[in-house]
Amino acid sequence: MEHVTLLLGIVIITALVFDFTNGFHDTANAMATTISTGALKPKTAVAMSAVLNLVGAFLSVEVAKTISSGLVNEDGIQPEVIYAALVGAILWNLLTWLVGLPSSSSHALMGGLVGAAVASAGFSAVNGGVVVTKVLLPAIAAPLVAGLAAYLATKVTYRIGNQMGEKTSAKGYRAGQIASAGLVSLAHGTNDAQKTMGIITLALVAGGILAPGSNPPAWVIVSAGVAIALGTYLGGWRIIRTMGKGLTDLQPQQGFAAQTSAASVILASSNLGFSLSTTHSCSGAVMGAGLGRKGGVVRWSTATRMFIAWGLTLPAAALVAAGAELVMRTGDIGIAVVTVFLVGSCLAIWLISRRQVVDHHNVNDVEPAAAEQPGVVTTAIAAVAVPPIAGGAPAGTTAAVTDEDLKATIPAATATPAAPAATV
């Protein structure tokens, strides 16, 4: 019993660490568009989001009950299983934060829980129906619904804005964007903070402290709310940059439409007990808003990397959690090995992140990787020597050739029979 009590304490602390990473990983969901459009200063935005995340944590426990008593069978689940699930979720959160990809903390946690439960007790330990109806289907539907809603809302906002001056409408939508960002933060607290409440409650049930089916105790609700609020205030600046500048370029009208649509989807799902990914909802809404403006574009290279990360989240977290659970079967030595591995991996990721710091000072700087990449044809042509451009660099020197230069030069090159043959 003493060993279980010690391990239970470790599990609770690790769950709160996950909640903390969830906070800074998902700050972008609420505040990326507000920061990118200049509606709020970066530090002001994350402070506002942190407070509302804390408030939202007290509004509902429906999602917490889905995690604690719906996803896996409570009978036979040991604290080691929950610890292994948290290891998988935390490492995936940190890896995706390091590369600036907005992936789902919710799915990382649920993937870890499923993987650890299967490794411990087989597939019978997982409620497949709940996984499909309350995890997988919402994961597919959320970005589509939020994206369509944001697309239509953007069309409406611009149509309304055409009836008033551009400066007046932009100012009004900036104010609306602040309000809608607050709504997303509140919704995030009602959905994501509850996941940690659910996992701690499941640990308490596994440790024999609570009866199966119990609601989260008050201290669990408070501690989970505080942890996610602190993480939110820290600010996941790398992911904020991707969401705010990497996917598309947003104007205040689009930011307002995206955040309002995402908040509506998240709040509705929380009331229904769906463990929805706020990342999927907000990312889908940002892309929908980007396409809703005439002339707006979505950087599909960034979106593709994000989609791949979404697809890998559940299986990657599940595999790491399953491996951790197998190691911990050896007893105290296995638990110590997993703990050292988790701490060492977190430290290594943090040290790597210090090589290129992203914070509130440079969060709105667009990374080169996020800019529009040249197409296959342009890349191929750039690798081939082209005829000298009139007035350009003298022969024998190397000059940078832009896409505009290529477009101007290629027709001329193809229309002049006497042009020298290009060499590779």
Side-chain angles (χ1 to χ4, degrees), residues 87-224:
V87 169
I90 290 172
L91 290 180
W92 182 255
N93 267 1
L94 292 178
L95 283 172
T96 50
W97 163 77
L98 179 64
V99 296
L101 286 177
S103 70
S104 172
S105 300
S106 309
H107 288 180
L109 177 59
M110 290 181 285
L113 190 56
V114 169
V118 170
S120 174
F123 286 96
S124 60
V126 179
N127 295 324
V130 174
V131 173
V132 172
T133 59
K134 293 199 172 185
V135 178
L136 296 181
L137 290 181
I140 297 172
L144 296 177
V145 173
L148 179 60
Y151 175 83
L152 296 175
T154 300
K155 293 288 187 184
V156 171
T157 56
Y158 274 103
R159 180 164 295 184
I160 294 174
N162 289 337
Q163 301 175 5
M164 61 185 72
E166 182 177 347
K167 291 185 178 180
T168 303
S169 63
K171 183 178 180 180
Y173 281 119
R174 278 196 176 91
Q177 194 178 359
I178 294 172
S180 61
L183 190 59
V184 173
S185 297
L186 194 67
H188 184 261
T190 65
N191 198 283
D192 280 47
Q194 290 187 53
K195 297 177 178 76
T196 300
M197 298 178 204
I199 209 74
I200 294 177
T201 301
L202 182 60
L204 294 174
V205 171
I209 307 300
L210 292 178
S214 299
N215 286 336
W219 68 267
V220 172
I221 297 174
V222 173
S223 58

Side-chain angles (χ1 to χ4, degrees), residues 273-287:
F274 291 142
S275 187
L276 186 71
S277 167
T278 56
T279 300
H280 290 187
S281 301
C282 294
S283 301
V286 167
M287 287 187 284

